[in-house]
C-alpha cells in the first residue's frame, strides 16, 4: 500500500469515528484544495457530517463559485455563514473598508467580525468540528495534532489531513476528479479573502500569500486562536 493509500485509509477511519462518536459534528470548509479532499471523502461515504463555509463577503468569486460546484457534482448544499451586517457596517464606518492593512490588530478585528463570530454560530450546539489544516502549511501549524481539545468552543477539534503533504492533496484530487478552486492554478496555494490573499512566487512558503504584508508569526485569523495563541492546549490520542 502506498503512503497516500495509507493516509486515505486512516483519514476515512477518522471521519467514520467522528460520525459515530461525535454527532453532531461539522466540517468547516474554506473551499480550498484540502477542504475539497475532505468534502469528497465525507460526501462519497454519505457520512452524517454537515459541511459549512464562512462567506465573509470578501471572498473571490472563484471561491464562492465552489459552493455551486459542490451542489452540481455532489448534489449537496454547503451552508454559508455570513457576518452580522451591523458589525461589518460599524467597522467600515469607523475605520474604513480596508483598515486591516493599518495594523495586525485592525486586521484581526476584521477577521473576528467576518470569520470568528460566524464560526461561533456555526459551531453552537455541536460536539466536534473538522478542519483541513495540515502541518506543512506554515510554521504556526507545525505541531498540529489530528485530534485536539478545543477549549475555546468546548468541543473536540479534528484535523484529519494533519500529516498529508501538498503532493498527497493534489494526487488525491487528480485521481478522484475532485473539483477545486481555479485560483490554485493561478499561483494561490492558500486562499482566503480577496484583498488579503495574493498569488505566491516560486519557492515562497505556501501561506506567503495570506496577509502578505505581515510577519509569518502573526498569520492566523483567529479561528484557531485563543487569547492570541494557537489552540494547542491538549492533544488527544
Amino acid at each position: 500500500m502506498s503512503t497516500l493509500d495509507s493516509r486515505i485509509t486512516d483519514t476515512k477511519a477518522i471521519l467514520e469515528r467522528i460520525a459515530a462518536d461525535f454527532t453532531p459534528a461539522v466540517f468547516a470548509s474554506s473551499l480550498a484544495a484540502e477542504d475539497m479532499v475532505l468534502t469528497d471523502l465525507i460526501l462519497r461515504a454519505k457520512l452524517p457530517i454537515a459541511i459549512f463555509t464562512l462567506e465573509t463577503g470578501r471572498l473571490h468569486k472563484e471561491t464562492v463559485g465552489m459552493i455551486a460546484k459542490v451542489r452540481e457534482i455532489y448534489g449537496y448544499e454547503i451552508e454559508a455563514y455570513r457576518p452580522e451586517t451591523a458589525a461589518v457596517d460599524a467597522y467600515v464606518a469607523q475605520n474604513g473598508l480596508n483598515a486591516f492593512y493599518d495594523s495586525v490588530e485592525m486586521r484581526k478585528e476584521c477577521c473576528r467580525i467576518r470569520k470568528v463570530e460566524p464560526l461561533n454560530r456555526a459551531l453552537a450546539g455541536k460536539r466536534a468540528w473538522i478542519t483541513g489544516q495540515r502541518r506543512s502549511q506554515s510554521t504556526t501549524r507545525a505541531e498540529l495534532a489530528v485530534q485536539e481539545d478545543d477549549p475555546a468552543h468546548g468541543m473536540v477539534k479534528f484535523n484529519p489531513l494533519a500529516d498529508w503533504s501538498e503532493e498527497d492533496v493534489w494526487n488525491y484530487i487528480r485521481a478522484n476528479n475532485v473539483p477545486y478552486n481555479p485560483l490554485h492554478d493561478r499561483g494561490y496555494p492558500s486562499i482566503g479573502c480577496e484583498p488579503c490573499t495574493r498569488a505566491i512566487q516560486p519557492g515562497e512558503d505556501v501561506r506567503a500569500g495570506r496577509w502578505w504584508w505581515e510577519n509569518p508569526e502573526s498569520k492566523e485569523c483567529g479561528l484557531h486562536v485563543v487569547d492570541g495563541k494557537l489552540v494547542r492546549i491538549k492533544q488527544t490520542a
Side-chain angles (χ1 to χ4, degrees), residues 30-32 59-69 180-184 186 188 191 194:
S30 70
L31 305 168
L59 299 179
H60 298 80
K61 68 180 186 301
E62 292 88 350
T63 301
V64 177
M66 291 304 298
I67 298 175
K69 184 64 71 175
Y180 64 87
N181 192 322
L183 289 175
H184 289 305
R186 303 176 202 165
Y188 290 77
I191 304 168
E194 184 169 12

Side-chain angles (χ1 to χ4, degrees), residues 34-93:
E34 290 82 3
D35 294 336
M36 293 311 300
V37 168
L38 288 173
T39 295
D40 187 76
L41 289 169
I42 290 169
L43 296 182
R44 280 178 184 265
K46 296 180 169 56
L47 296 174
I49 297 172
I51 305 174
F52 71 89
T53 193
L54 303 177
E55 216 294 52
T56 66
R58 303 208 69 177
L59 299 179
H60 298 80
K61 68 180 186 301
E62 292 88 350
T63 301
V64 177
M66 291 304 298
I67 298 175
K69 184 64 71 175
V70 169
R71 183 190 310 120
E72 173 190 344
I73 293 176
Y74 298 97
Y76 184 88
E77 188 70 36
I78 292 178
E79 185 170 7
Y81 282 80
R82 297 175 173 83
E84 297 289 350
T85 301
V88 172
D89 290 347
Y91 176 91
V92 172

Side-chain angles (χ1 to χ4, degrees), residues 34-167:
E34 290 82 3
D35 294 336
M36 293 311 300
V37 168
L38 288 173
T39 295
D40 187 76
L41 289 169
I42 290 169
L43 296 182
R44 280 178 184 265
K46 296 180 169 56
L47 296 174
I49 297 172
I51 305 174
F52 71 89
T53 193
L54 303 177
E55 216 294 52
T56 66
R58 303 208 69 177
L59 299 179
H60 298 80
K61 68 180 186 301
E62 292 88 350
T63 301
V64 177
M66 291 304 298
I67 298 175
K69 184 64 71 175
V70 169
R71 183 190 310 120
E72 173 190 344
I73 293 176
Y74 298 97
Y76 184 88
E77 188 70 36
I78 292 178
E79 185 170 7
Y81 282 80
R82 297 175 173 83
E84 297 289 350
T85 301
V88 172
D89 290 347
Y91 176 91
V92 172
Q94 182 174 353
N95 306 296
L97 180 63
N98 296 324
F100 43 80
Y101 291 128
D102 295 341
S103 68
V104 172
E105 291 71 27
M106 290 305 300
R107 194 270 295 167
K108 288 184 176 180
E109 177 62 9
C110 185
C111 287
R112 184 192 68 78
I113 292 169
R114 294 182 182 272
K115 299 176 75 173
V116 177
E117 190 279 328
L119 175 71
N120 291 340
R121 280 189 273 122
L123 297 184
K126 306 303 188 295
R127 293 186 61 198
W129 67 301
I130 302 165
T131 86
Q133 293 185 105
R134 295 185 296 104
R135 295 188 191 108
S136 62
Q137 285 174 323
S138 70
T139 57
T140 61
R141 298 179 179 180
E143 303 300 320
L144 188 70
V146 170
Q147 180 175 340
E148 307 171 309
D149 283 340
D150 181 354
H153 300 103
M155 64 180 65
V156 182
K157 176 180 175 184
F158 290 90
N159 309 295
L161 302 184
D163 62 351
W164 284 47
S165 68
E166 185 174 4
E167 183 180 17

Side-chain angles (χ1 to χ4, degrees), residues 186-203:
R186 303 176 202 165
Y188 290 77
S190 179
I191 304 168
C193 289
E194 184 169 12
C196 296
T197 312
R198 65 162 174 80
I200 67 170
Q201 300 300 315

